[in-house]
Amino acid sequence: EEMAVRPSTSALNCILCAYADQGLVNKAYQAFDKFQYFGCDQNEHTFHLMLDAVLMNLKTALPPRSRMMDESMIVNGISNRGSMDWVESMLESADTIMDMARELGYQHTSQDLNHSYAQILCVSGSFERAKNYVIDLVLDAEQNGERAPISIKTFALLATDCAMVGDLEGANEMSRLCKAVGYKQGLPSYANAQIKRLQEKSMI
């Protein structure tokens, strides 16, 4: 039976946005499945919203400074939403979303997708993985003669997180990469100021 009114991609994205804002990952996946059901194409914004749903879910369940911990330590601070297995399931969801986006060519063009994915890795405690992900993006872009699809806010996030755990070498590396991909002024002033404060504190 043919439907009188068929929803558009934009309309389904609006539903996704409502679920993403609340971190309702299961509901977001249900809405995501409706794209195929109604014959609508997912776009870059669709995948970004799916990542935002995972990110908000993690932020709600994990302690604010979880990204400063080793993965093995996070389980002790998780709320009643679950255990480390649950965190791994959220990471697997993010990986699946990125794989689908990659198949459509979005990962290599979208700063927003890559930033949300890096945030998910940091919030879940997979900090080294987040750094390596960004570094790999930069190297791949260099090999292809392209500009890496990484926002300056992603470099700022990783640089400040490096500094917070005392990894000043990592913070400097993020600063260097930031300039290497085309942000000639380097990290934003707020990030540089925070790194400087943490450097001075480490010398006390």
Side-chain angles (χ1 to χ4, degrees), residues 115-134:
H115 182 68
S116 289
Y117 185 64
Q119 282 184 294
I120 288 168
L121 293 177
C122 287
V123 168
S124 66
S126 302
F127 183 57
E128 286 298 319
R129 186 175 163 190
K131 282 201 304 181
N132 290 333
Y133 177 75
V134 168

Side-chain angles (χ1 to χ4, degrees), residues 103-169:
E103 288 179 4
L104 295 175
Y106 293 133
Q107 184 230 12
H108 295 292
T109 60
S110 174
Q111 293 185 353
D112 288 337
L113 281 179
N114 289 319
H115 182 68
S116 289
Y117 185 64
Q119 282 184 294
I120 288 168
L121 293 177
C122 287
V123 168
S124 66
S126 302
F127 183 57
E128 286 298 319
R129 186 175 163 190
K131 282 201 304 181
N132 290 333
Y133 177 75
V134 168
I135 291 170
D136 287 344
L137 281 176
V138 172
L139 293 177
D140 287 345
E142 286 180 352
Q143 290 177 356
N144 295 322
E146 302 170 347
R147 177 168 177 165
I150 309 172
S151 168
I152 191 170
K153 62 186 179 182
T154 307
F155 288 112
L157 167 71
L158 293 175
T160 53
D161 277 5
C162 280
M164 285 180 183
V165 296
D167 182 9
L168 299 180
E169 182 178 340

Side-chain angles (χ1 to χ4, degrees), residues 21-32:
D21 285 345
Q22 300 178 66
L24 300 176
V25 176
N26 290 336
K27 290 287 188 181
Y29 268 110
Q30 290 174 15
F32 186 83

